[in-house]
Amino acid sequence: METIPVLPPPATESPTPWNWARKNLFSTWYNSILTVVCLIIAFQTIKGIIVWATTKAQWHVLEANLPLFFAGRFPRESYWRLWIVTAIIALLGGLTWGNIQRQERLWNPPLLIILGAAVVGAVISPIDLTSRLYLLGIIIAAAASYAIGRQIHPKIMDWMPAIWVLSFPIVLWLIKGGFGLTEVSTNDWGGLVLTLFLAVISIVLSFPLGVLLALGRQSSLPVVRLLSTLYIEIIRGLPLIGILFLGQVMLQLFLPPEYPKLDRVIRAIAGLTLFSAAYLAENVRGGLQAVPRGQIEAARSIGLNTPLLTILIVLPQALRIVIPAIGGQFIGLFMDTSLLSLFGMLELIGISRAVLANPSYIGRYAEVYIFVGIIYWIFCYSMSLASRKIERTLGVGQR
């Protein structure tokens, strides 16, 4: 019998940066030309940005108006209340994130980079010494709560959603005042504080409303299905700016004269919530339709009634499927708060327009909007990271 010769394994190149570049960037003559052209363009672009940022940009517009960007016209003597709110959110956020990251390394490189960047940013930020110390203390407290959250038993951490809900009245009391604290009118809310308040409340309210609308559109009751469908299709056929206009300007005209005027923040939240819920309902409906019929039939075979079937079997699977779409919807809602600047609300974009209207800062559009854009990017990217982490934890697209 003829023996088959044993061939040596194919030669492989060592994974050096030069080998990677030769394979991916300089594999052919036209790829080499494209790579060189792109490198030249990138170099010139980066060089121009650095030269502008270090020699031409006038960053004092940010330094002089930093409190406005973050707190609007909130009274300076009450800033300590905002620091407490920030500390509460940082502590709860650290505990929650630590529990989510239980299976990961305690201090992985990306987390250390973020923590180091936060500390450096707090040290070099153009704020007074007291505020820097507050900020550093909050960063340290968040890191400590993250480490503690990894050690707490998961059954105890199951109460974390309830703790988040219970913290909301405390946060609202600290921001608005009353009950022993000086009341701060919503007209004085502004900047990042107002943007986050509008976005968080609208997200929290639109999620259950969107789920109910999706279930209503799938309902076997004709009246419920018709009303849910009409609401979704009417709201989706209107632009958000039109809904906000109705809430901010037209709503009060339809109410009786003796009816108390609704706060403009409440009207803004109502508009954002009603609009987002309609789109969220369609995302959830897609998830409901993706649940296999076999799951429903198996649940009915063991005697589950319709409410239990929906809550325990159908809805968890549907929401798991549409996590990416829901995350995108929430990110869009966060950015949609910028439209309220058209109605005189001084959230981040409204504050930016107010700052640029100052004769001392006319023409400083690039500095202001780059700064505001970075703030929006940080929060939107954080929401995207959280969404992807939930997807990985639940195995979306893997099982």
Side-chain angles (χ1 to χ4, degrees), residues 4 6 59 88 157 161 175 183 199 201 259 264 267 269 280 306 317 320-321 329 340 351 365 371 374 389:
I4 300 175
V6 178
W59 299 110
I88 292 173
M157 294 301 293
I175 296 176
E183 187 168 351
I201 301 302
Y259 197 86
R264 64 175 188 164
R267 285 178 281 160
I269 290 173
L280 190 65
T306 300
Q317 295 185 69
R320 173 179 172 270
I321 293 170
Q329 180 67 31
L340 291 166
I351 284 291
Y365 297 100
F371 175 71
I374 291 173
K389 178 62 181 178

Side-chain angles (χ1 to χ4, degrees), residues 19 43 82 113 136 142 145 183 228 232 242 253 284 321 340 362 366 384 398:
N19 289 333
F43 174 77
L82 299 181
I113 292 173
L136 283 173
S145 64
E183 187 168 351
S228 299
I232 292 171
L253 300 178
V284 175
I321 293 170
L340 291 166
I362 290 178
S384 177
Q398 300 173 4

Side-chain angles (χ1 to χ4, degrees), residues 101 385 387-396 398-399:
Q101 296 281 93
L385 284 178
S387 175
R388 291 206 298 261
K389 178 62 181 178
I390 295 174
E391 290 176 42
R392 288 195 299 270
T393 302
L394 298 180
V396 177
Q398 300 173 4
R399 61 178 187 269

Side-chain angles (χ1 to χ4, degrees), residues 232-297:
I232 292 171
E233 296 302 332
I234 290 174
I235 296 297
R236 291 176 71 208
L238 296 173
L240 176 56
I241 191 69
I243 295 176
L244 295 177
F245 177 80
L246 290 175
Q248 293 295 318
V249 180
M250 301 296 294
L251 178 62
Q252 206 64 34
L253 300 178
F254 294 98
L255 298 177
E258 65 275 7
Y259 197 86
K261 186 176 181 180
L262 291 175
D263 190 279
R264 64 175 188 164
V265 172
I266 295 177
R267 285 178 281 160
I269 290 173
L272 292 170
T273 299
L274 295 176
F275 181 82
S276 181
Y279 283 85
L280 190 65
E282 287 299 277
N283 292 333
V284 175
R285 187 169 70 93
L288 293 173
Q289 292 177 339
V291 176
R293 292 295 300 178
Q295 298 276 344
I296 300 174
E297 294 170 0

Side-chain angles (χ1 to χ4, degrees), residues 23-157:
K23 180 180 179 181
N24 295 277
L25 302 179
F26 301 98
S27 57
T28 60
W29 66 268
Y30 48 84
N31 279 345
S32 302
I33 294 175
L34 283 175
T35 299
V36 172
V37 171
C38 290
L39 287 175
I40 293 174
I41 294 174
F43 174 77
Q44 293 297 330
T45 302
I46 295 173
K47 176 184 175 183
I49 292 174
I50 293 175
V51 170
W52 173 83
T54 55
T55 61
K56 298 180 180 180
Q58 299 182 20
W59 299 110
H60 68 277
V61 61
L62 303 180
E63 182 178 355
N65 297 282
L66 205 57
L68 282 176
F69 284 112
F70 285 100
R73 295 179 297 185
F74 203 89
R76 287 180 176 271
E77 62 273 12
S78 298
Y79 276 3
W80 61 272
R81 289 152 56 171
L82 299 181
W83 284 117
I84 294 177
V85 168
T86 307
I88 292 173
I89 295 174
L91 289 172
L92 295 181
L95 288 172
T96 304
W97 191 250
N99 185 63
I100 293 175
Q101 296 281 93
R102 289 179 62 86
Q103 305 303 323
E104 305 286 341
R105 288 176 55 190
L106 177 58
W107 300 111
N108 51 61
L111 190 59
L112 288 175
I113 292 173
I114 294 173
L115 185 61
V119 172
V120 172
V123 171
I124 67 174
S125 58
I127 55 179
D128 58 90
L129 179 60
T130 303
S131 298
R132 291 184 191 179
L133 294 176
Y134 281 147
L135 193 55
L136 283 173
I138 290 172
I139 293 172
I140 294 172
S145 64
Y146 165 79
I148 294 172
R150 296 173 58 91
Q151 307 302 322
I152 299 178
H153 197 276
K155 290 186 177 180
I156 299 177
M157 294 301 293

Side-chain angles (χ1 to χ4, degrees), residues 129-361:
L129 179 60
T130 303
S131 298
R132 291 184 191 179
L133 294 176
Y134 281 147
L135 193 55
L136 283 173
I138 290 172
I139 293 172
I140 294 172
S145 64
Y146 165 79
I148 294 172
R150 296 173 58 91
Q151 307 302 322
I152 299 178
H153 197 276
K155 290 186 177 180
I156 299 177
M157 294 301 293
D158 289 341
W159 291 94
M160 187 54 65
I163 296 174
W164 275 104
V165 172
L166 293 175
S167 69
F168 175 73
I170 300 174
V171 169
L172 183 60
W173 170 62
L174 287 168
I175 296 176
K176 186 170 179 56
F179 300 101
L181 293 178
T182 304
E183 187 168 351
V184 179
S185 171
T186 54
N187 292 327
D188 294 329
W189 298 12
L192 184 60
V193 170
L194 182 57
T195 295
L196 290 177
F197 187 84
L198 292 169
V200 170
I201 301 302
S202 299
I203 287 173
V204 170
L205 294 178
S206 66
F207 180 73
L209 180 57
V211 171
L212 290 176
L213 287 169
L215 294 174
R217 192 162 188 176
Q218 297 287 95
S219 174
S220 58
L221 300 175
V223 176
V224 174
R225 185 171 64 250
L226 177 62
L227 292 177
S228 299
T229 302
L230 283 175
Y231 174 86
I232 292 171
E233 296 302 332
I234 290 174
I235 296 297
R236 291 176 71 208
L238 296 173
L240 176 56
I241 191 69
I243 295 176
L244 295 177
F245 177 80
L246 290 175
Q248 293 295 318
V249 180
M250 301 296 294
L251 178 62
Q252 206 64 34
L253 300 178
F254 294 98
L255 298 177
E258 65 275 7
Y259 197 86
K261 186 176 181 180
L262 291 175
D263 190 279
R264 64 175 188 164
V265 172
I266 295 177
R267 285 178 281 160
I269 290 173
L272 292 170
T273 299
L274 295 176
F275 181 82
S276 181
Y279 283 85
L280 190 65
E282 287 299 277
N283 292 333
V284 175
R285 187 169 70 93
L288 293 173
Q289 292 177 339
V291 176
R293 292 295 300 178
Q295 298 276 344
I296 300 174
E297 294 170 0
R300 292 192 185 281
S301 68
I302 62 175
L304 288 181
N305 56 28
T306 300
L308 289 178
L309 168 65
T310 301
I311 295 173
L312 300 179
I313 305 298
V314 176
L315 201 54
Q317 295 185 69
L319 294 178
R320 173 179 172 270
I321 293 170
V322 296
I323 285 175
I326 292 176
Q329 180 67 31
F330 289 163
I331 291 173
L333 178 57
F334 179 79
M335 293 187 292
D336 285 340
T337 57
S338 60
L339 291 174
L340 291 166
S341 64
L342 300 176
F343 302 97
M345 298 190 70
L346 298 179
E347 40 67 67
L348 268 176
I349 298 298
I351 284 291
S352 302
R353 295 172 63 182
V355 168
L356 292 171
N358 188 327
S360 302
Y361 308 120

